[in-house]
Amino acid sequence: MDAGQILLKHGLLSEAELLRAADARNNGARVDRIAVDLGFVGEADALRALGAETGVDYIDLEAATVNLDLLPSFPQRLIHRYGLFPVERKRGVVVVATSDPLNLYPLDEAAAALGCPVVPVLATRDAIAKRIKTHLGVGSETIEGLLAQREEEEVELVDGLQVDDGEIAAEVQEASVVHLVNEILVEAIDSRASDVHIESQPSGVKIRYRIDGLLQPQPTPPEINRFQAAIISRLKIMARLNIAEKRLPQDGRIKLKVHGREVDVRVSVIPMLHGEGIVMRLLDKGRMQFSLEKLGMTPELREQFDRLIRLPHGIILVTGPTGSGKTTTLYSALLEIQSEDTKIITTEDPVEYQLEGVNQIQVHPKIGLTFAASLRSILRHDPDVVLVGEIRDFETAENAIQASLTGHLVFSTLHTNDAPSAYTRLVDMGIEPFLVASTIEAVMAQRLVRTLCKKCRQPFEPDRDELPDDFPWDEYLQRGDPLFRPAGCRQCRQAGYTGRQGIFELCETTDAVRQLAHDRSSSWEIRKAALADGMRTLRQDAWLKVLDGVTTVDEVVRVTKGDRI
């Protein structure tokens, strides 16, 4: 009985589905694999049925305990070519996971190589692939030179490549290097990484992904060190950089299609002591959703911010370090107020995401198109709302002030640690205090905290001594709800967290704040006045998310400073 008939016998396929799967066969592919790929049956269910007929047990390999001592002696070519993975040794027999119970040849080969009997168990292809990546490292498959040929390339370059003739260029175009780089990028995107760090260390190349704001080292096989120069050169070619220049920093951009989604990759190359280091910022356009509803604002803060972004003129600033979600907040605000009777123009460096109905300008400082220069031209295009990517210098700040004074609503970002510091920062740039006081309508500081995985978070009752001094203990007791801490499960990859949310500090320019800004008062005094007028600090907003079970005390301590007022 063939695989298709087995699935039919177990009620997993109908006659019509079996015929469709058989019609779709090519290159000798089995009907059960095609039925899984077409979505007619789950792979785990199909394997259980095949196992029942062939006398082979099915296991959940992701949850199973694996004896890693077996890996060094197990032939890696069998792992990569046939998808075998050793699980355990018991009573002189090695248990090996496979996703193909009908192909006995690789199991016989494994038994011959190990010098002992092999007993197969069944596991899904995805589960085996995850184990291979976890324990052998990203790129191990490619380094062995045994990648199965795929019908479609996982990574597609949107703009193609411009490759010079030459020995180096030819080397980095080799299939093994191309696959290795593609595998690093695909794994990063599948892991929801925002950045990929490829670092040159004395011991060799090191790869780390930034996931939910934290860098996580990726296991890599030692052999990857031989490919270090080729990996860097391949990425430089993809980003249209000079592969021969290894003494100066370079910046470039790669446009990719991965799993059918457009991904923008910003590439920065810097020469280090032991070779060049690369950092890639991944902008996955298919996963981004710009909505004020999903940023994590409390209902009161959302209502206040919604009122501010609809003002007829003035400046609204969003502050915070790089990677704190400022662009997401501003884009969400623009889409909230965007309409047919409102003209919105932005000037950005770079334009990270393209927004429907919004006119966006990419600045080019090398040819003189700076924020300040583009802002002067924007005002001749009769806008209602203007977004300036960042106020970096006096000229840009002065032009933004003038735009607000001539009846425009201006959004921009600034690098300060909290909201009240933005007023004094503009004065430090050279802007007259009376202009700052009269044009700034509000400043919002923000950070991102990791959110607990809802599937595995664990409730607990804390001791008062375990918590920071400024934790709202009285409110916690009044609510009567438990706090939560991370546990880790398959869904969150054992991290305990999945995704991030914003915490916010919105300082509206009240009369008291306006007077202090006019009088060149310190940010400390402005902060006290804003708190008296009802401002909630970043720390206080974060504590609310802890009480709501969204994040943890440890996350708040990691991201914010304790309040001293």
Side-chain angles (χ1 to χ4, degrees):
M1 187 181 295
D2 67 16
Q5 292 298 324
I6 291 173
L7 297 186
L8 185 66
K9 173 186 171 183
H10 284 257
L12 297 175
L13 282 184
S14 66
E15 292 280 2
E17 288 171 337
L18 180 59
L19 287 173
R20 281 187 60 189
D23 289 343
R25 291 181 71 174
N26 57 15
N27 298 327
R30 286 212 322 263
V31 171
D32 61 310
R33 289 276 175 91
I34 295 169
V36 169
D37 293 339
L38 290 174
F40 295 156
V41 60
E43 186 177 9
D45 292 334
L47 288 175
R48 287 189 181 96
L50 294 175
E53 294 294 326
T54 57
V56 181
D57 293 333
Y58 173 85
I59 65 166
D60 182 352
L61 188 58
E62 292 185 51
T65 302
V66 174
N67 182 358
L68 299 179
D69 293 338
L70 295 172
L71 271 178
S73 59
F74 198 89
Q76 286 205 9
R77 58 191 180 81
L78 297 181
I79 293 176
H80 299 307
R81 181 175 293 169
Y82 298 110
L84 302 185
F85 197 87
V87 178
E88 60 178 338
R89 183 194 295 270
K90 55 183 181 183
R91 295 188 293 275
V93 172
V94 175
V95 178
V96 176
T98 177
S99 62
D100 188 352
L102 304 181
N103 186 3
L104 300 178
Y105 167 75
L107 295 168
D108 293 340
E109 197 172 340
L114 295 171
C116 66
V118 166
V119 172
V121 290
L122 299 180
T124 64
R125 285 172 285 176
D126 278 351
I128 293 173
K130 283 179 183 176
R131 283 289 186 180
I132 291 172
K133 280 199 170 67
T134 299
H135 301 301
L136 295 179
V138 176
S140 60
E141 187 174 3
T142 305
I143 288 167
E144 289 298 312
L146 299 169
L147 270 173
Q149 293 299 315
R150 300 168 184 168
E151 291 181 17
E152 292 183 6
E153 187 62 68
E154 283 185 322
V155 177
E156 175 191 345
L157 277 166
V158 174
D159 293 335
L161 285 181
Q162 293 178 347
V163 184
D164 298 329
D165 292 332
E167 191 175 330
I168 299 177
E171 179 187 345
V172 302
Q173 289 300 102
E174 287 182 8
S176 58
V177 177
V178 172
H179 281 304
L180 176 53
V181 170
N182 287 354
E183 192 173 348
I184 291 169
L185 290 170
V186 169
E187 178 68 12
I189 290 162
D190 288 345
S191 302
R192 299 181 297 105
S194 61
D195 301 84
V196 178
H197 294 240
I198 301 177
E199 301 162 325
S200 300
Q201 303 289 335
S203 56
V205 68
K206 183 178 183 180
I207 298 176
R208 296 191 286 175
Y209 297 159
R210 189 177 294 280
I211 302 172
D212 290 336
L214 290 183
L215 280 172
Q216 299 184 11
Q218 298 304 303
T220 53
E223 293 82 5
I224 201 172
N225 295 329
R226 291 187 228 155
F227 292 82
Q228 180 176 347
I231 291 170
I232 292 172
S233 295
R234 167 67 183 173
L235 287 167
K236 286 166 80 172
I237 283 179
M238 291 170 74
R240 299 171 182 269
L241 302 177
N242 182 359
I243 61 173
E245 179 55 76
K246 299 184 179 180
R247 301 165 302 167
L248 296 173
Q250 297 186 73
D251 294 309
R253 197 167 186 173
I254 306 171
K255 289 186 177 181
L256 302 175
K257 269 195 175 178
V258 179
H259 307 317
R261 300 197 310 269
E262 279 196 25
V263 179
D264 252 8
V265 184
R266 283 153 51 186
V267 182
S268 176
V269 185
I270 297 180
M272 305 285 187
L273 189 61
H274 299 285
E276 291 176 290
I278 290 185
V279 175
M280 293 178 284
R281 167 65 59 90
L282 306 177
L283 303 171
D284 189 346
K285 298 180 179 181
R287 280 187 174 159
M288 281 308 297
Q289 292 180 320
F290 298 110
S291 166
L292 290 180
E293 295 285 347
K294 298 179 180 177
L295 296 182
M297 295 184 187
T298 61
E300 312 85 55
L301 183 67
R302 167 69 202 282
E303 185 180 335
Q304 185 183 5
F305 188 64
D306 199 61
R307 171 174 54 79
L308 289 165
I309 64 177
R310 298 177 193 280
L311 292 173
H313 54 79
I315 299 177
I316 294 174
L317 297 175
V318 178
T319 76
T322 302
S324 59
K326 300 188 298 294
T327 300
T328 301
T329 298
L330 287 173
Y331 279 4
S332 300
L334 290 182
L335 291 180
E336 186 75 19
I337 62 176
Q338 187 263 334
S339 67
E340 287 298 322
D341 55 6
T342 301
K343 178 152 186 173
I344 302 174
I345 306 181
T346 74
T347 174
E348 306 168 62
D349 182 22
V351 174
E352 295 187 358
Y353 299 96
Q354 297 171 27
L355 305 178
E356 184 67 32
V358 176
N359 304 281
Q360 296 171 276
I361 299 171
Q362 168 76 56
V363 303
H364 291 285
K366 290 180 181 178
I367 60 172
L369 184 59
T370 60
F371 280 127
S374 59
L375 186 50
R376 283 195 299 270
S377 300
I378 283 173
L379 297 182
R380 302 188 196 107
H381 271 245
D382 188 29
D384 298 294
V385 178
V386 176
L387 167 65
V388 182
E390 183 184 342
I391 294 179
R392 295 176 179 170
D393 50 39
F394 168 75
E395 191 180 4
T396 308
E398 185 180 44
N399 287 346
I401 295 279
Q402 291 303 319
S404 70
L405 290 173
T406 51
H408 303 90
L409 182 60
V410 180
F411 292 94
S412 191
T413 69
L414 202 62
H415 286 290
T416 61
N417 288 325
D418 59 14
S421 299
Y423 300 91
T424 53
R425 178 80 181 93
L426 289 172
V427 173
D428 291 343
M429 280 186 182
I431 302 298
E432 290 292 339
F434 75 90
L435 289 174
V436 173
S438 61
T439 56
I440 304 297
E441 294 295 339
V443 182
M444 186 159 74
Q446 70 175 74
R447 300 289 189 278
L448 294 174
V449 292
R450 292 184 294 167
T451 53
L452 280 163
C453 173
K454 291 183 179 178
K455 191 169 183 180
C456 67
R457 65 178 185 172
Q458 294 178 342
F460 77 105
E461 303 289 339
D463 293 331
R464 182 69 183 93
D465 297 339
E466 297 174 353
L467 301 171
D469 294 338
D470 61 335
F471 180 82
W473 182 256
D474 292 339
E475 187 174 351
Y476 162 67
L477 294 177
Q478 185 179 346
R479 288 193 180 201
D481 297 326
L483 301 186
F484 290 87
R485 57 189 168 199
C489 65
R490 209 182 313 168
Q491 186 168 311
C492 62
R493 298 191 175 198
Q494 306 303 322
Y497 300 90
T498 174
R500 290 186 289 175
Q501 265 194 16
I503 55 173
F504 304 94
E505 176 179 289
L506 181 56
C507 177
E508 191 169 352
T509 310
T510 60
D511 290 342
V513 170
R514 203 179 299 278
Q515 186 62 52
L516 289 170
H518 178 275
D519 296 341
R520 291 180 181 264
S521 298
S522 68
S523 59
W524 179 256
E525 292 174 295
I526 295 174
R527 178 184 177 83
K528 286 196 291 185
L531 287 170
D533 286 335
M535 182 184 81
R536 184 189 294 128
T537 66
L538 284 167
R539 184 85 159 192
Q540 290 167 346
D541 195 47
W543 286 137
L544 290 180
K545 287 182 170 52
V546 172
L547 295 176
D548 289 338
V550 172
T551 190
T552 62
V553 173
D554 290 343
E555 268 298 282
V556 174
V557 172
R558 181 181 71 86
V559 172
T560 64
K561 280 176 60 178
D563 289 329
R564 299 297 182 189
I565 297 181

